[in-house]
Amino acid sequence: MSQKKLDLREICRDSRAIAIGGHIRPDGDCVGSCLGVMHYLHRLYPDKTVDVYLEFVPDSLRLLPGWEKIRTAYDPSRTYDTYIALDNGDIDRLGFSKPYFDAAETKVVIDHHISNTYRGKHVLIVPQASAASEIVADLIDDEDLTLEIAQCLYLGIVHDTGVFKHNNTTPHTMCVAGRLIGCGIDTEQIINESFYEKTYIQNQILGRTLLESFLVFDGKMVVSVIKNQVLTFYGATSQDIDGVIDQLNVTHGIEVAALIYEIEPEEYKISLRSHHIVDVSKVAKSLGGGGHVHAAGFSATGNWHDIVNNIMELVEPELGVASEE
Ligand SMILES: [Mn+2]
């Protein structure tokens, strides 16, 4: 309970209808924190309307209680006086539910992205938190922390920490995780089914991406490009690429990993990871994106050679090879 509190019970006391949203291309923390808050508000206020809006729910996260209630399209007949944005570093990335946010009288933002510049009355940004789900857990008293809430928030933390592996995992993260485990959740099932399990297609894409990767900067950076026609060949979607960057990132000797994948012809998403020296959030920001120091991303159009060159130009001075002399 170290963080500054934001009292969701108080904020939502007079709300009639509450919308909850995360970010486009929702990940484990996004879905987990949104559903965690949904279950919490259902518990506090069973008679209020509480709806979660997300672009889609990845198959691997469909073990979470309540995922089937998530709304994936804008409905003009519904209105909300309160909107709670979670795990969202940039309000424009709310996606199709942004009109609900804009129209809401009460706007709540709970996030852990260091690049988040949103300011307002009900804003809680905790960059040292491993996940939005960790922040949410700190807002919920023990007597309200149900099994369902714990399952959702634990999954969120598991995903954003790479199963407690990334260095965003703090002593406090482990305390929060311990508190959630204390609610009786099946940690092995959550970790295996939502994080490690891959479909056959995902394994094929993973294998091909590793096979076609290449090293630059004397082996300090690994790059791989997935072309749209490859995704089409395997019948893969962008969801099937989740986790590929993490495998590239465990290549011995590298400092930076870059995965460039073509979601539409000439339209690319780029994921960046780094280990110690390079701040990839700076690289991503320079190229129109954002993220964390060691995990960031951006979008780009055009030719993938140019994208690789742009990344390399920004990474090279950061690698600091020259400064060691
Ligand atoms: Mn997150």
Side-chain angles (χ1 to χ4, degrees):
M1 302 288 147
S2 60
Q3 271 107 36
K4 183 188 87 168
K5 279 253 187 177
L6 180 139
D7 193 342
L8 284 177
R9 183 193 301 263
E10 193 55 45
I11 292 168
C12 297
R13 189 178 300 279
D14 299 322
S15 303
R16 173 191 55 83
I18 301 146
I20 300 167
H23 55 75
I24 50 171
R25 298 197 69 245
D27 57 13
D29 183 33
C30 173
V31 180
S33 59
C34 286
L35 287 176
V37 170
M38 179 191 82
H39 289 302
Y40 177 53
L41 294 177
H42 277 329
R43 178 182 169 85
L44 294 181
Y45 301 113
D47 299 329
K48 287 191 201 290
T49 298
V50 180
D51 291 328
V52 175
Y53 285 89
L54 293 172
E55 202 180 9
F56 58 82
V57 186
D59 292 343
S60 59
L61 304 180
R62 293 183 181 185
L63 74 170
L64 285 179
W67 75 266
E68 70 286 346
K69 295 191 184 119
I70 292 174
R71 296 175 161 267
T72 55
Y74 182 77
D75 177 352
S77 70
R78 301 180 82 87
T79 57
Y80 300 91
D81 47 77
T82 303
Y83 192 113
I84 304 174
L86 293 152
D87 195 37
N88 185 305
D90 174 357
I91 286 304
D92 284 335
R93 297 186 74 235
L94 279 177
F96 72 91
S97 74
K98 188 162 180 281
Y100 294 133
F101 181 88
D102 291 336
E105 209 176 302
T106 305
K107 297 171 171 56
V108 183
V109 172
I110 299 171
D111 184 34
H112 68 124
H113 292 90
I114 198 161
S115 54
N116 196 326
T117 55
Y118 192 86
R119 295 295 177 264
K121 192 173 169 203
H122 305 299
V123 175
L124 181 57
I125 297 162
V126 187
Q128 69 271 24
S130 67
S133 299
E134 179 183 320
I135 308 172
V136 170
D138 280 331
L139 302 180
I140 301 176
D141 294 333
D142 285 341
E143 60 268 29
D144 292 316
L145 194 60
T146 61
L147 177 67
E148 287 178 323
I149 298 171
Q151 287 167 327
C152 297
L153 300 181
Y154 187 81
L155 182 143
I157 296 171
V158 160
H159 279 244
D160 265 17
T161 58
V163 195
F164 307 106
K165 180 186 75 176
H166 302 324
N167 59 11
N168 61 356
T169 310
T170 65
H172 184 68
T173 309
M174 300 312 277
C175 289
V176 171
R179 204 174 148 236
L180 299 173
I181 292 171
C183 296
I185 59 175
D186 186 339
T187 55
E188 189 173 345
Q189 187 209 9
I190 291 172
I191 292 170
N192 275 338
E193 290 184 17
S194 76
F195 193 86
Y196 287 114
E197 200 177 274
K198 302 261 180 256
T199 64
Y200 184 61
I201 288 174
Q202 286 170 331
N203 272 337
Q204 284 188 303
I205 291 285
L206 173 65
R208 177 128 180 202
T209 310
L210 299 177
L211 197 65
E212 292 178 0
S213 66
F214 54 95
L215 294 170
V216 293
F217 296 138
D218 258 347
K220 290 196 172 64
M221 177 166 158
V222 63
V223 180
S224 196
V225 180
I226 309 176
K227 299 299 296 290
N228 188 252
Q229 69 221 43
V230 171
L231 295 177
T232 310
F233 175 80
Y234 290 104
T237 66
S238 57
Q239 280 186 52
D240 295 317
I241 297 158
D242 288 346
V244 172
I245 183 69
D246 299 311
Q247 194 59 42
L248 286 170
N249 198 32
V250 294
T251 310
H252 178 75
I254 63 134
E255 164 61 19
V256 178
L259 177 65
I260 294 134
Y261 57 98
E262 195 179 21
I263 43 167
E264 298 283 339
E266 309 247 293
E267 217 179 284
Y268 293 87
K269 290 270 179 195
I270 297 92
S271 294
L272 300 171
R273 296 288 185 275
S274 67
H275 288 261
H276 308 291
I277 314 163
V278 176
D279 178 351
V280 286
S281 76
K282 262 169 64 184
V283 176
K285 211 173 169 194
S286 304
L287 296 167
H292 306 277
V293 175
H294 298 300
F298 64 97
S299 303
T301 53
N303 181 312
W304 69 263
H305 292 99
D306 295 336
I307 298 169
V308 173
N309 283 337
N310 290 340
I311 298 168
M312 285 179 67
E313 256 175 47
L314 290 161
V315 166
E316 190 171 22
E318 297 278 316
L319 272 175
V321 183
S323 65
E324 283 172 18
E325 288 167 12

